Amino acid sequence: MTRASTPEDGRDHLTGHERAAPMRPGPTGPLRGVRVIDLTRAVSGPFCTMILADLGAEVIKVEPPSGDLPRFSGPFTKDDTTRGIGGLFGSINRNKLGIVLDLTTPADRERLLRLTDTADVLVENYRAGVMERWGLQYEALHERNPGLVYASIRGFGDPRTGRSPYVDWPAYDIVAQAMGGLISMTGPSEGETVRVGPTIGDLYPATLSAIGILAAVIHARATGEGQMVDVAMVDSIVSLCETAVYRYSYTGAVSRPTGNGHPQLVPFDVYPTKDGECAIAAPTDNHWKLLCEAMGRPELVDDERTRTNGDRVANARLVQSAVRRWAAERTTGEIVGELGGRVPVGPVNDAADLFADPHLRARDMLVAVDQPAGARPVVLPNCPIRFTATPSGVYRRSPLLGEHTAEVLARLDADAGAADSGLRNPPPETVRDDGP
């Protein structure tokens, strides 16, 4: 496959924005008109609210005066002189308005209460008990705004839906992956476990929370009844490891690492090539026949040791040896060219390869996002949820710390004045969007 240039190629800096899709001019997703108050920090909460913002919701991110943890931790581009939007923060806080409130002070807690009075959703991922100490717990907000959907993401959940013995424990991605069973079944071989590369212990509960929020919003709009949506990071990973759960229940077998292979499907693996690695999956009889023909081994189609998937599982060493030998004599591009469209196949892409991938370009899955103070654009993954009538996407960079505080609070005051005068507030989707 064609590899994108990297700093090791002798070039000054890889940007990639010239090959990425442009930002959308404004919010066009199906959640326009939904207002979300975002009290989240770090990764899981911001990723959840990012999904909602990508789908068109107005998300108001509330930060303390010191800012969210990843905001200043980098990385930064070479020409970024403000250094106010680190890479992780910029990636998962796009499409949001940013305000600063010091919730340790009564005045700012009152401002937040006024904001939640106008909101459809509030999302937070503090440890259990923090919101209670501020008087901002679910019950207090629900009393003021009965239709509010209140969502929390915590390591071990909220006591309101089931009290865990670990309710007071802090948790990060690696803890969720470990306690949820994911690490125990991931690795190159039995006895060598590894954490999954992406922070799936954060991202999967964030995604489930977004689904739960949308379900609760539908219920609230139909009945006027808001409710709490509670997602525990560890619970989410347990649900992701459903294979290990049912396998143990059915057979008593404990799932262990199997490398890139599959214990019930053969061939189904990543194979070294002359210039990289390639994923090949041919567990069905038809795909196996096509693969055998491509490998020049038609006799394996009717061989009693390899005729069916069950036969191939029983004789995995024979099958894997044949496929590995064939793949090692060819480049990844040659294998993809031979099998593409016939047998499930794909190159093992690294980050540089993604910038040259024709599928991602055709689908506009990489988007160039403008940055403040004249810094060059950075490239982020686009929203993968697509609609024919209400397109999702990235239309605003992540905010600088407190960038929209004055605007949001002024609008709040104006809405309150209009309400006191008996005037109807304009729906959120009619508010003019001035971009980043």
Side-chain angles (χ1 to χ4, degrees):
M1 306 299 288
T2 302
R3 183 173 294 278
S5 62
T6 66
E8 288 73 23
D9 294 330
R11 304 186 184 186
D12 178 55
H13 201 64
L14 173 67
T15 65
H17 65 271
E18 302 91 346
R19 291 167 288 170
M23 292 196 299
R24 302 192 66 80
T28 53
L31 294 186
R32 282 176 298 168
V34 173
R35 176 174 287 178
V36 179
I37 307 303
D38 179 2
L39 294 182
T40 67
R41 309 168 299 154
V43 179
S44 61
F47 192 86
C48 169
T49 53
M50 179 206 75
I51 294 172
L52 304 177
D54 285 356
L55 299 182
E58 180 191 53
V59 176
I60 301 174
K61 182 176 178 69
V62 181
E63 293 181 77
S66 59
D68 191 359
L69 179 65
R71 174 179 280 282
F72 303 109
S73 62
F76 302 98
T77 62
K78 291 183 176 180
D79 58 348
D80 181 359
T81 58
T82 61
R83 305 228 152 188
I85 304 176
L88 173 59
F89 183 91
S91 178
I92 60 178
N93 287 287
R94 79 272 187 103
N95 289 343
K96 303 177 185 179
L97 300 169
I99 71 172
V100 166
L101 293 178
D102 184 352
L103 297 182
T104 66
T105 68
D108 276 0
R109 287 199 297 271
E110 179 59 31
R111 292 186 179 97
L112 180 69
L113 288 171
R114 291 174 58 208
L115 267 178
T116 59
D117 289 344
T118 72
D120 300 282
V121 179
L122 180 140
V123 189
E124 54 97 354
N125 63 338
Y126 288 102
R127 287 169 63 180
V130 172
M131 294 291 282
E132 282 78 0
R133 289 200 297 271
W134 289 333
L136 301 173
Q137 66 272 23
Y138 164 69
E139 290 80 7
L141 300 184
H142 180 71
E143 183 176 356
R144 291 179 62 114
N145 182 356
L148 181 70
V149 173
Y150 181 116
S152 69
I153 305 173
R154 317 195 201 288
F156 303 94
D158 188 273
R160 294 171 179 85
T161 64
R163 188 172 185 86
S164 166
Y166 314 124
V167 65
D168 296 322
W169 290 18
Y172 284 110
D173 159 70
I174 193 168
V175 173
Q177 289 199 31
M179 295 186 70
L182 184 57
I183 290 178
S184 73
M185 57 188 297
T186 306
S189 62
E190 186 166 349
E192 297 181 83
T193 59
V194 298
R195 166 188 166 274
V196 175
T199 57
I200 198 72
D202 288 314
L203 305 185
Y204 191 57
T207 304
L208 293 183
S209 184
I211 295 171
I213 288 167
L214 296 182
V217 167
I218 291 174
H219 176 79
R221 294 204 163 181
T223 66
E225 177 188 29
Q227 61 186 302
M228 187 170 193
V229 178
D230 173 33
V231 175
M233 295 164 65
V234 171
D235 296 359
S236 301
I237 298 303
V238 170
S239 74
L240 189 65
C241 295
E242 48 84 31
T243 301
V245 173
Y246 80 68
R247 187 176 294 145
Y248 181 75
S249 178
Y250 274 68
T251 69
V254 175
S255 298
R256 301 299 186 194
T258 58
N260 292 312
H262 195 289
Q264 296 169 291
L265 302 173
V266 175
F268 196 100
D269 212 326
V270 173
Y271 300 92
T273 68
K274 289 177 69 174
D275 62 349
E277 292 180 300
C278 191
I280 301 174
T284 68
D285 293 346
N286 179 57
H287 289 144
W288 174 240
K289 178 177 182 292
L290 293 171
L291 178 59
C292 289
E293 292 172 352
M295 295 191 301
R297 298 292 304 275
E299 75 280 4
L300 294 177
V301 175
D302 295 318
D303 190 309
E304 63 181 10
R305 299 169 297 175
T306 58
R307 185 183 300 117
T308 68
N309 180 66
D311 297 330
R312 293 189 290 276
V313 170
N315 297 281
R317 184 172 297 179
L318 169 65
V319 175
Q320 295 289 56
S321 176
V323 180
R324 285 196 179 96
R325 189 180 308 115
W326 177 76
E329 296 172 350
R330 289 159 177 80
T331 66
T332 299
E334 289 170 343
I335 294 172
V336 172
E338 176 71 21
L339 301 181
R342 303 170 66 236
V343 177
V345 65
V348 176
N349 287 334
D350 63 18
D353 296 321
L354 298 180
F355 280 74
D357 189 286
H359 164 79
L360 299 181
R361 183 173 297 183
R363 299 277 296 175
D364 287 340
M365 262 309 297
L366 298 179
V367 59
V369 179
D370 295 335
Q371 297 298 292
R376 58 101 169 156
V378 299
V379 178
L380 303 176
N382 210 342
C383 180
I385 307 170
R386 304 299 174 88
F387 304 88
T388 56
T390 55
S392 61
V394 182
Y395 61 91
R396 174 187 281 130
R397 63 163 170 78
S398 295
L400 293 168
L401 182 61
E403 183 171 355
H404 304 102
T405 302
E407 170 192 339
V408 170
L409 295 183
R411 192 196 310 173
L412 188 65
D413 290 338
D415 288 349
D420 290 342
S421 301
L423 300 177
R424 182 178 176 179
N425 294 334
E429 61 265 34
T430 65
V431 175
R432 185 170 61 90
D433 177 75
D434 294 318

